[in-house]
Amino acid sequence: MDGREILFHIWDVPNSQEQAEEGSSEEKRIQWADSFVLVYSICDRASFNILPLKIQFIKAAKEGQSQEKVPIVIVGNKRDLHHQRVVSSEEGRLLALSLDCGFYEVSAAEAYHGALMVFHGLAERIPDTKLALKKGTGIRGIVKTMSAVFARKRTDSL
Ligand SMILES: Nc1nc2c(ncn2[C@@H]2O[C@H](COP(=O)(O)OP(=O)(O)OP(=O)(O)O)[C@@H](O)[C@H]2O)c(=O)[nH]1
């Protein structure tokens, strides 16, 4: 971005895990993260309706510590399933606007361009100073993070 390479460490939280875990684990994940991508399905109203509460929770946890605005992007996924759409683009955009978040609609099943836009938009919301100062977790951290994501995907596809 602007000639700079930006490395994201992504903690992909499965929905089922979230439901099974105690609130303190969710709090830990929130403290770990510098920014957030909240994904709902445009075909699933419940996944959309839960967002205000989640964002409120994140903001309370993060903005309590510092005065900085927490970078959050809301993503409406499964845009390819337009015949099954139950959440309109306007609703998504309005929610994002009212909560001061970024907003994108994508289809993870199609090209990766949408995901690229999401992370580009997220990076734009992270203050430059934070991007520059934040130290990586080192190679072990990266390997651990990637393994967690791919191990999950492998299990999913079995
Ligand atoms: N048509 C379509 N299907 C999708 C899209 N994104 C994900 N899926 C499908 O939706 C299902 C759930 O996808 P996951 O990636 O497991 O979703 P998740 O939100 O990580 O699910 P949890 O692990 O329960 O949190 C899979 O069958 C995917 O193939 C999309 O953009 N379009």
Side-chain angles (χ1 to χ4, degrees):
M1 203 172 96
D2 301 329
R4 285 178 306 170
E5 199 171 292
I6 296 171
L7 177 67
F8 282 101
H9 298 267
I10 303 168
W11 193 337
D12 177 15
V13 182
N15 212 17
S16 44
Q17 184 185 334
E18 229 173 272
Q19 280 157 7
E21 277 182 354
E22 293 293 316
S24 64
S25 298
E26 188 166 7
E27 180 93 32
K28 262 186 229 154
R29 284 196 301 269
I30 291 172
Q31 295 312 338
W32 175 85
D34 293 317
S35 56
F36 300 83
V37 177
L38 296 170
V39 184
Y40 68 93
S41 164
I42 63 157
C43 313
D44 176 2
R45 174 142 312 261
S47 70
F48 177 73
N49 286 347
I50 193 102
L51 292 183
L53 204 66
K54 292 230 169 264
I55 293 170
Q56 224 179 333
F57 192 72
I58 291 169
K59 285 189 172 185
K62 298 297 273 187
E63 290 177 354
Q65 309 167 338
S66 81
Q67 296 310 308
E68 275 177 27
K69 206 168 75 178
V70 53
I72 303 176
V73 170
I74 294 174
V75 180
N77 189 31
K78 306 199 180 180
R79 200 173 64 163
D80 55 300
L81 301 179
H82 39 87
H83 47 288
Q84 290 174 33
R85 181 191 279 275
V86 291
V87 183
S88 70
S89 304
E90 287 69 29
E91 281 178 276
R93 203 166 293 118
L94 263 177
L95 179 72
L97 202 63
S98 68
L99 295 172
D100 201 7
C101 302
F103 177 72
Y104 297 87
E105 268 196 4
V106 303
S107 169
E110 291 175 338
Y112 62 84
H113 176 77
L116 197 64
M117 294 303 290
V118 168
F119 285 100
H120 199 279
L122 188 65
E124 277 178 344
R125 292 181 161 258
I126 301 172
D128 260 11
T129 47
K130 207 147 197 184
L131 279 177
L133 288 173
K134 184 79 183 172
K135 285 206 171 76
T137 48
I139 192 72
R140 271 179 54 199
I142 297 168
V143 170
K144 253 171 76 181
T145 313
M146 297 308 282
S147 311
V149 171
F150 287 109
R152 203 188 123 232
K153 288 291 168 209
R154 268 202 305 277
T155 319
D156 286 353
S157 60
L158 287 177

